[in-house]
Each structure stands twice: as C-alpha cells, then as structure tokens.
Amino acid sequence: MIIAANFKTNLTRQKTAEYMAVLEAFLEKEGVTQEVMVFPPATALDRFDGRTQVGTQNAYPTRNGAFTGELGLEQLEEFGTDTILIGHSERRHVMGESQEEIARKFSFYKEKGFTIVYCIGEPLEVREAGNDALMDYLEAQLEGIDLHYKKLVIAYEPVWAIGTGLTPSLGDIELIHAALKQRVAKPLLYGGSVKVDNAREILALQHVDGILVGSGALAVEDFCRMIRDAETLHKGE
Ligand code: 13P
C-alpha cells in the first residue's frame, strides 16, 4: 500500500524537518514495509535520510527559464526530488489549471522519469448527477494522460470530500475504485477527509491501494497511526 501525506500550504521548512525525523524513526522502529510518501511545501524540499519518498506538490514543465513563481526540474534535482503530484483539485479549481496544462506537465515529468501521483475527482454537482456523469467527468480528467506510464499512481479525491470532513460511503468508494481500476491498471489511492478514525476502514476496501491525506496527516503521530493501520492490514492483522 501507499500512504501519502500532502501538506499543502502548511508547515515550515523547520517543522517539516522535525516531522521527517519523527516519521523516519517510526518507520525504522516498526520495520514498516509499506510505501510512504510526503509532499511538503516547496520551501521544505530537501534530501531527508530514510526511506520516505518525498515529492513536490507542483512544478512547471520546464528545466528552468522565465516562469516567475514556479519551480522547474533544475530546482527539484537539487534535492533529488523525483516524485510529483499532478492534477490536484486545488491546482485545477483554485489555480485554474486546465486539463491541457495538466497533460503537458504530466508529459514533461513522465519524460523525466518522475513518479507521478495523478489526482482526479469530481465536484458535488457532478456527484449528484449520478454515476454516469461522475465517470464521464473522471474520464475527461484522464485526457492526454499516458495511463500505461510505469511510474503512475492515481489518486481519486472527490472535490467535495477534500477538507470538508465528508467522505463518500465505503460502498461508494469501493464502487468508484472498482470502475476506475477497470479503466486504469495502476495503484489507486483514495483521498478526501481521511483521518485517523476512518483510515483503516478505507484502506481495508477492495481496490483501495492506499490513501492521500491532507489535514489529517499534519500531526506526524496521526500519520504514523495511519501507516501502522496499513502495515497491520497488509499483514492480515
Ligand atoms: P484532506 O485530507 O485535508 O481532506 O485533503 C485531501 C487532499 O486533498 C490530499 O491531497
């Protein structure tokens, strides 16, 4: 399983370093075998000792150049960062990234061999329009994306579940994941209001290969508890 934390615009460079130290000590002590990923803010990227895959929440499809406010490959390489989140709901809906821009970003970082956690998810009005509308919407978010890319991970994050405390029912998560798995044969994470309280039951669902956690992972102790859930489930405990 893949247990991933997206800090978004939270925690500082200092706080991230403290977080990573606690996390790595935990992974070592417990002998965790599951994959762990952390996406800190760009100012906190670094080479951390240990086995966590540290990725960037965003980057521009360029090596370098005149793209004020953006990061390129050159800045990521300095920290050995080779993992990226692409298509996150906040990039799509708050920053207004189009599917075309997202696909361009995907192609660029695929070409560079990055692990790509590619996010998709529908807003509430689409969810309310029924399952066909929902799958059509998700399908449009796959446009221009190489679904056979070796280092592709998909994250299904319903927009209405992100940061709201709401989640689809377990049955709905299972249903949508089953449909997505038929379409894309890649690891499939669920994201949107995953917390210590619901992580285990979500991780236990069929077709859920992991979780992408925002606010629920900001306290390292909570993130560690979710990792332990994944580890024990994996061992069949
Ligand atoms: P929350 O866990 O805060 O709902 O955020 C989910 C998310 O967007 C992770 O990428």
Side-chain angles (χ1 to χ4, degrees), residues 6 8 88 90 157 161-164 191-194 212-216:
N6 174 10
K8 309 190 180 185
H88 191 278
E90 285 140 23
E157 302 199 295
I162 295 178
T164 57
S193 294
V194 178
L212 177 55
V213 190
S215 51

Side-chain angles (χ1 to χ4, degrees), residues 52-230:
T52 300
Q53 209 170 334
V54 177
T56 184
Q57 296 174 17
N58 181 45
Y60 200 72
T62 188
R63 161 159 282 281
N64 52 29
F67 304 100
T68 302
E70 296 286 335
L71 294 181
L73 185 63
E74 195 172 285
Q75 288 73 39
L76 299 175
E77 279 176 349
E78 183 175 22
F79 301 114
T81 307
D82 59 0
T83 302
I84 185 169
L85 275 183
I86 294 181
H88 191 278
S89 140
E90 285 140 23
R91 301 293 319 169
R92 292 179 190 269
H93 300 287
V94 182
M95 281 71 180
E97 274 183 22
S98 67
Q99 184 60 26
E100 202 179 305
E101 286 171 300
I102 288 167
R104 215 153 47 83
K105 205 174 269 195
F106 185 96
S107 299
F108 182 88
Y109 284 100
K110 171 195 139 183
E111 181 77 11
K112 305 301 173 202
F114 273 52
T115 296
I116 299 176
V117 178
Y118 185 72
C119 307
I120 57 175
E122 81 291 350
L124 189 58
E125 64 271 21
V126 174
R127 166 70 282 186
E128 286 172 344
N131 283 346
D132 288 349
L134 169 51
M135 290 316 292
D136 287 349
Y137 189 92
L138 298 182
E139 183 62 40
Q141 293 186 321
L142 299 175
E143 208 177 294
I145 304 302
D146 176 5
L147 302 178
H148 300 289
Y149 177 47
K150 199 166 73 235
K151 295 187 181 171
L152 170 63
V153 174
I154 304 279
Y156 170 60
E157 302 199 295
V159 180
W160 53 272
I162 295 178
T164 57
L166 303 171
T167 57
S169 68
L170 296 176
D172 279 348
I173 295 176
E174 211 159 43
L175 210 72
I176 296 160
H177 273 233
L180 282 172
K181 274 287 203 181
Q182 283 207 325
R183 178 72 181 88
V184 191
K186 294 289 169 183
L188 178 56
L189 316 185
Y190 170 79
S193 294
V194 178
K195 310 275 177 216
V196 163
D197 296 344
N198 61 8
R200 192 181 165 89
E201 59 189 14
I202 292 172
L203 284 165
L205 295 174
Q206 244 199 324
H207 311 299
V208 172
D209 303 309
I211 45 177
L212 177 55
V213 190
S215 51
L218 289 177
V220 65
E221 297 72 23
D222 290 343
F223 190 48
C224 289
R225 283 174 67 185
M226 295 184 223
I227 295 169
R228 185 180 288 134
D229 282 335

